[in-house]
Amino acid sequence: MLLFIRLSWKWVRRSFKAFFTLGILGVIAVLGLLAYAIVLGPPSLSTAQNTTYYLADGEVMEGYDVGASRQWISLDEMPEEVIDATLAIEDHRFYNHYGFDFKRVASAALTDLKAMRMVEGASTITQQYARNLYLSHEKTWTRKLKEAFYAIRLEIFYDKDEILEGYLNTIYYGHGAYGIESASRYFFNKNAGDLTLAEATMLAGVPKGPSYYSPLADKDNAESRQERILSRMNDLEFITNSEKNEAVTASLDYYDHSAEEAKAVGPYFQDEVVREAARLLDIEVEAVESGGFHIYTTLNPDHQNELEAALDEEFNGAAEIETAAVVMDNNTGAVTAMAGGRDYSASSFNRVTQSKRMVGSTIKPFLYYAALNNGYSPLTMQESKPTTFELEDGDVYSPSNYNSYYANDDITMAQALALSDNIYAVKTHLDIGPKTFIDTLRDFGFNEDLPAVPSLALGTASISLYDMVNGYSKLTGGSPKIQKHTISKITDHRENVLYEYEEPESVEGKKLDKEAAFSVTHMMTGIFDSALNGYMNVTGSSIADQLSRTYGGKSGTTDSDSWMIGFSPQYVMGVWSGYDDNRKMTQPRDQQYSKELWANTMERIHEDLPVAAFTPPGDLKGVYINPESGKLSGPACPEERLVYVKKKDVPKETCEEEDSDIKEIEEELEKDPWYRSIVDWFQ
């Protein structure tokens, strides 16, 4: 027992010495850190510049965040409501700590340890000010340690009022407004000194997440946060119950910026640039807007202006129908123009990137690409007639053609694509197998949940217009490496390159057959070629007379969606039209908007460009065929159409040979008395 007591006492003494030593070392470290901070002197309070955006030609992009400004006012000029609201929600012990709120730190640390990652912050106003002045917004322990050190320096060299004044003049309130004065003018068109309690508390909630808590972005979220701030102010006895209740029920009148936003160049495009930059830099959207970056975009102002002019022209007088359009460089994937809707001021929802709709027949080019890699050729014949398919699970599937028109005869793949024959497509899909088709779609970058059902051949998958147009650019370019993008380069305010777009050397697990891709690309020019007319006109016939050069493309229609995706050798453009609530399109004009907008815009942007041609790979052979028979054309054939096939698939016969054989039989029958007697008998 005595031995146990001695050993225990010995362990206690050693532990005490160890803790004492660690304590001394900790004090020395803190003193050393303070000494180092003092030696460095007061940190600069100058703030970073606004992020600047550039067009593809290098000119500064006008109109982004039209309220962008920084206006400094003294703490004395700020109303008490602004200061109290900010302190209540951000750091109510601000005047009682030295840059760190250890109670909040302990609570946040416990939450982070439970989640094994940084999920909750405990930053004081001093720390936030330090981050805004000197650091990035990434959530790492290194950044937190740097933030703490800068907070120490701020607390050493500046008094509390100076720190609070700086914070309220530099914090980001969204929409390009930095500081309370700029925010007050942007949201309410008044000086900060004139803000009411309701207005002040509304603004105090925005900096936590301007894209989430701005009343102009999400009114419900903003009002919920405002109510929380008012309750917090009431708990801290900054305001009375009656003042709280009056502010909660107050009606706020926000300043209308629609006239200014209308002047912005490609506002939907600009929003996508910010989102793309946030992904590339792995930071929040707000950090992009307030980070002082230089972002070089791919926007072609001429293309954007032509798209918007064509959009206004085509939809002038239309009611609720919406549309979306995007133009992309066919060889690089660089987006040159974008319209996510008819009116950005009415709705900032980007229907190019944020909406997924059923794609209809625009999916068929990828089906026929898969078929060409599985034994088909552009001249493969299949019968177009009403068909009921028996499936492996015992179910039956009975697709139909548009308006129940059928050839009731064999047609080629080239004609099936030009006429958008559904029976041919489903037969092909079931022949090559749903898995083959889905694997092919994956090669073109479609990562959605694709249904392994026969109707996938008719476009029952929901995919964004952005991804569809990128898929077409991969198809026409014959390469999976073509990636859609709106940014070519990002630098910091010292012009250090943080990101620069480069086409990937390869895309893991994805490789495209250039011959098959070109064959489909060329087949798609057939939607404008009357030589492929059959049991109905080619699907692009309604706009063919508006086109002055060779284009390819594919239209698509569902009950509630109208698509047109088409291309030249230089650019690919996609258009979707429909209603946001997915209602059916019952007016014939609704089905025509997409094609008209596509044709109008493509003609405008190509007007001053030299004519370019689609160049086939060396191993493909171009042959003229008779569209009706799929055989080689000749002088006596009524129609002919150029197709590109592998040498082994070149037809051996001409349509003339087929006609001559029929004539020979008819002549023989004419001479045969038995034939004549049969005819006479029927007469």
Side-chain angles (χ1 to χ4, degrees), residues 323-345:
T323 194
V326 61
V327 181
M328 193 178 294
D329 188 298
N330 228 354
N331 302 301
T332 67
V335 177
T336 63
M338 180 185 292
R342 291 173 58 185
D343 184 356
Y344 183 84
S345 63

Side-chain angles (χ1 to χ4, degrees), residues 36 39 145 225 246 340 348 357 375 378 448 480 506 543 616 627 656:
Y36 180 58
V39 169
L145 290 173
R225 183 158 172 81
E246 184 180 345
S348 61
R357 305 286 293 232
E448 288 77 9
S506 63
I543 55 173
E656 291 173 311

Side-chain angles (χ1 to χ4, degrees), residues 3-21:
L3 178 61
F4 175 76
I5 293 173
R6 286 179 178 176
L7 289 174
S8 297
W9 176 244
K10 189 175 183 180
W11 181 85
V12 169
R13 283 191 299 169
R14 285 183 176 177
S15 298
F16 177 77
K17 286 181 179 179
F19 282 118
F20 182 76
T21 302

